Amino acid sequence: AYMLTTVKFEDDAAFEINPRGISGFWQEDTCIPAGTTVSIPYVGKTEVPDRFSDPSSPYTVRISEILSLKRLIYEGQQLGNCLQDRRDSQMKYIQRARQRSSSFWSLTFVRGTEVEYQCLIE
């Protein structure tokens, strides 16, 4: 699961590690308890889908810091969001990363060899 969620790029613009000392997260063979409610910006509170609560189909959760421009764009492609092809959006994220006012993180779920990109966390 670790290798499936680790993508490296050559000739990439690197970002510095977050200055607060926050580290990523890794949890194997896990499920989200049924009935769990989360708050999603611009959407509001929503219940986690049942497919993440099935104990017979556990997954690995990984939250990893995005430390380069190409990785940020790759995440946008996987999520189908504005970072995949909108330069103005990319520039806003790059500026915050370089100023170290924000850090960006990828949340992925892995089942077997299938990686599910869930969201970008700032």
Side-chain angles (χ1 to χ4, degrees), residues 7-89:
V7 178
K8 302 267 183 190
F9 300 94
E10 293 186 26
D11 298 326
D12 199 359
F15 301 153
E16 292 186 50
I17 294 174
N18 74 83
R20 304 277 187 244
I22 299 168
S23 59
F25 178 80
W26 178 270
Q27 180 73 46
E28 294 181 335
D29 297 322
T30 193
C31 292
I32 298 172
T36 299
T37 300
V38 295
S39 181
I40 301 173
Y42 310 111
V43 174
K45 292 188 178 194
T46 187
E47 193 168 305
V48 175
D50 290 340
R51 67 189 175 104
F52 297 115
S53 302
D54 182 1
S56 67
S57 183
Y59 50 89
T60 298
V61 175
R62 182 178 185 192
I63 300 175
S64 57
E65 190 168 9
I66 297 171
L67 294 172
S68 74
L69 172 58
K70 287 184 181 177
R71 179 63 195 222
L72 186 66
I73 293 169
Y74 175 80
E75 292 288 331
Q77 291 168 341
Q78 301 309 305
L79 295 167
N81 68 21
C82 63
L83 291 171
Q84 67 182 327
D85 56 9
R86 288 191 38 209
R87 296 283 183 227
D88 59 330
S89 293

